[in-house]
Amino acid sequence: MLKIISQNRPWDLKDLSIRILIFIAIITLWEGIVVLFGVSERIFPAPSSVWTILLANLTNGTFLNHFYITFIQSLIGFIIGSLAGVILAVFVSEFSLIRKLIYPYILGLQAVPIVALAPLFIIWFGFGMSSKIALTVTIVFFPVLINTVTGLENTNQSQVKLLKVYSASAWQIFRRVKLPNALPYIFAGLEIAIVLSVVGAVISEFVGSEAGLGYLIIIYNNQLNMAAQFAVLIVLGVLGILLSFMIKWLSKKMIFWQQPIQNTKGL
């Protein structure tokens, strides 16, 4: 008889305690340096000032409204860009002609700085949400595409040959062997892309916007309100963490066979 004994929880609590202590130490040191050396709030604000502004703007709903706009733009752009990346990766991997004709140009476009495309998207799609989503789609598309192609091309050829012996169709080989093999690569790309989606949305808001967290950063920068800028950066960090955890959770559900094996002891 076997009994599963999890040893993750004590280590998780220990790691969490260490992280909290490090965080408290950093905040205390930060506050002490600002107060001790009399650093101007317009140059480097104290954590207490940042917290006061953060709490005030969360209470009156200002940050939440702009958070929602950036979140929606990031999420929609992520979904569209990821789907486009996976679909094109399948065609590139399965059809050699498409790979020869299109893939080199895709790799070339990846080298173009996304920031340089932002003004073009503003001209093409206007100052509304469409331009923000378009830029986010572009920045999300490449990591998902490349990771998916890599995963599909690293399929175990012995398994493919075995299915061919049993007269499996191309669709059956793809569904039963290639796609499961590529899922870890796909989710690795998605974890990168979900963070980049926030970057894309904020960059597009820098260039031209009337709302969003990137818009707030520009406004506060013009006002030399550093404490408010830091508060917005904290909200952006929370947004990135939430989206990243969402992908990690989905990855654990989809790629359950890659979960670490717990320690077992015979009774």
Side-chain angles (χ1 to χ4, degrees), residues 131-143:
S131 60
K132 287 44 173 200
I133 293 175
L135 186 65
T136 305
V137 168
T138 304
I139 200 172
V140 164
F141 172 79
F142 293 107

Side-chain angles (χ1 to χ4, degrees), residues 14-27:
K14 181 179 178 181
D15 291 344
L16 180 61
S17 300
I18 294 174
R19 290 169 185 170
I20 292 175
L21 289 175
I22 292 175
F23 175 78
I24 293 174
I26 292 174
I27 295 300

Side-chain angles (χ1 to χ4, degrees), residues 24-156:
I24 293 174
I26 292 174
I27 295 300
T28 303
L29 180 63
W30 178 0
E31 183 82 25
I33 290 174
V34 172
V35 173
L36 181 63
F37 293 97
V39 181
S40 172
E41 291 285 330
R42 293 184 180 274
I43 297 176
F44 199 70
S48 55
S49 301
V50 176
W51 171 252
T52 301
I53 292 178
L54 176 62
L55 190 61
N57 281 277
L58 288 175
T59 303
N60 62 29
T62 300
F63 279 2
L64 294 178
N65 293 334
H66 291 277
F67 175 92
Y68 175 76
I69 292 171
T70 302
F71 170 75
I72 291 298
Q73 292 173 168
S74 302
L75 188 61
I76 294 176
F78 170 75
I79 293 173
I80 297 175
S82 299
L83 287 175
V86 171
I87 292 172
L88 184 57
V90 171
F91 281 98
V92 167
S93 176
E94 295 296 313
F95 301 100
S96 58
L97 181 61
I98 295 179
R99 181 180 181 87
K100 292 178 182 178
L101 295 178
I102 297 178
Y103 200 55
Y105 295 101
I106 294 174
L107 295 178
L109 287 174
Q110 186 188 12
V112 177
I114 299 300
V115 179
L117 298 177
L120 294 177
F121 284 140
I122 294 296
I123 295 173
W124 293 340
F125 300 102
F127 286 90
M129 187 176 289
S130 299
S131 60
K132 287 44 173 200
I133 293 175
L135 186 65
T136 305
V137 168
T138 304
I139 200 172
V140 164
F141 172 79
F142 293 107
V144 176
L145 169 71
I146 293 173
N147 275 46
T148 304
V149 170
T150 303
L152 292 172
E153 291 184 345
N154 278 279
T155 303
N156 189 324

